Structure formats: C-alpha cells, structure tokens
Amino acid sequence: MSASATAALESTERIVWRKIPITLDLGVGQERLVHFPSPVSVGLPEHLQGRLRIQSSAGTVYWLAQHPFPPTRILVRATDDSQVYLLDVAAPLQGGSTSPVEIALPRQPPVASTEPVPAGPSTHGYVSLTRFAAQQLYAPQRLQTPLPGAVRVPVPAKPVALVRGGAVVAVPLASWRSGPRYVTAVKLTNTSPQAQELLAQGLRGEWLAATFQHHRLLPAGDEADHTVVYLISDRPFSGLF
C-alpha cells in the first residue's frame, strides 16, 4: 500500500451528525470527498454556480472549489428523504483541506425486547472496510490488523465491465464481508495510449462508496498505468455483474 494511500485513509475526519451544521473548508482547485451514510442529493446555491463543482455518487460527494467563496450553508438530503444534513462550506483564498470526511448517524439505543436477539457479525464503517482491504493486499503481514467479523468471500478473477468507456480493464482481486456490507478490491488497468482520469460516476454498478488508490492512470505500458479501487456494496460483488 502506497504512503499516499495510507495517509489518505488515516487522515479521514469522522463526524457524527447531531443536527449541528458541519464546517467544510475547501482548498481552491483541490477536490475533497465527504462520505454520507446513504446516497444523497446536494442543493447548490445559485450564487455558487461556476465557483463550486459538486458531484454525488453512491453516498460520496466530491467537492471542488473553482474560485474562493465565503462560508455558505448548503443543504444535503438523503435521496430517500430520511435525513437532511447542513454543511457550512467555504473556500478561503489560502488554506482549506483535502482530507476526506466521513459523516455517521448517532447510534440508536437498543429497543427493549423479550425476544432473544441472534448474534451476528458487527458492521464496520466505509473507511474501516477500505483500510482493511488495502492492508490485506499491500501491507506486510506484521502490519496487518484483523477486522473483527470480516470474512473473505469468493470473487471471480476475470475482467468485468466496471469502468465505462472501454479503455480501462477491471479485474477483481479479493472481497470481504462484514455484516450486511461487502468491500471488494478491483485492479484497474489502462489499455489505451492516453491517460485516463478515474471518477466514481464513471463506474457501473450500485456502490455505497468507491475509493481509488490513484485517480489518474498513465498511458498503457507506463509503470503507473494501473491502480486499485475499493468498492463498498450491500450485495456480493459477483451479484452486481
């Protein structure tokens, strides 16, 4: 696992939504990711058109400030209308952050019941699952940290039509299950003579989150013509293709 990929995972800011507006500072020209518990839509104020680019895919929102702007409150709504989030977003002339943010909902207290509750594996967050998969693939054995409840599941080691456009070949490497969620590592290889930019919206399938180890692939034959994407889903990977 590369140092940059490890740093990105380790520096993720985790925030529990308690109905207090969340401050999000952006660096101009630098993309920042915010992971929500479920797919969301974002209401972009009219005065930020041309200043702020927003892309949303499977619960992850990609924020890119194209010009500086003062703090502005932006409403983010879960697509099933079950939850609304308030973010105070700003892009100062200098500063800002590129660290990913993971927003979680408060844990609900257990409901009293006289019925026995069956035991089951715990469910881990998107960041924990992604970090675990990356460590399993690239970290030395002595540095690998077990993830309680995570078990490896079979995945076909053959190309799948994951990336739109046909220039990038995708081959699953490994997959794990934790409770109702699955994390699958997929190798992406550029087969064209042009560099390729990787975006979540360019992926086929229904994913809760997608984390690229690198967002840009150099032309075929270059040592940087491949990378890995970590995909979180609520179904086995083999059932999505």
Side-chain angles (χ1 to χ4, degrees), residues 31 44 48 51-55 62-66 199:
E31 191 170 61
L44 180 63
L48 290 185
R51 292 180 173 270
L52 175 63
R53 189 195 75 188
I54 295 176
Q55 296 174 328
Y62 301 77
W63 308 76
L64 177 63
Q66 298 163 314
L199 298 173

Side-chain angles (χ1 to χ4, degrees), residues 147-202:
L147 192 66
V151 295
R152 188 155 181 171
V153 295
V155 65
K158 61 181 181 180
V160 294
L162 176 64
V163 183
R164 292 184 174 89
V168 177
V169 173
V171 178
L173 298 176
S175 187
W176 295 265
R177 175 177 58 81
S178 173
R181 294 176 184 165
Y182 296 79
V183 56
T184 304
V186 182
K187 183 178 180 180
L188 306 179
T189 303
N190 186 10
T191 61
S192 77
Q194 289 82 35
Q196 300 291 323
E197 297 290 339
L198 300 174
L199 298 173
Q201 59 267 34

Side-chain angles (χ1 to χ4, degrees), residues 24-29 65 67-71 89-97:
L24 185 70
D25 290 330
L26 307 175
V28 177
H67 300 281
F69 59 86
V89 184
L93 286 171
Q94 295 181 340
S97 174

Side-chain angles (χ1 to χ4, degrees), residues 8-64:
L9 292 173
E10 294 294 341
S11 63
T12 298
E13 181 181 358
R14 298 166 183 82
I15 300 174
V16 177
W17 171 249
R18 302 187 186 278
K19 298 186 178 181
I20 299 174
I22 295 171
T23 299
L24 185 70
D25 290 330
L26 307 175
V28 177
Q30 297 177 309
E31 191 170 61
R32 191 172 188 186
L33 278 62
V34 179
H35 305 291
F36 291 87
S38 64
V40 296
S41 60
V42 184
L44 180 63
E46 185 175 351
H47 72 276
L48 290 185
Q49 296 285 348
R51 292 180 173 270
L52 175 63
R53 189 195 75 188
I54 295 176
Q55 296 174 328
S56 180
S57 176
T60 297
V61 179
Y62 301 77
W63 308 76
L64 177 63

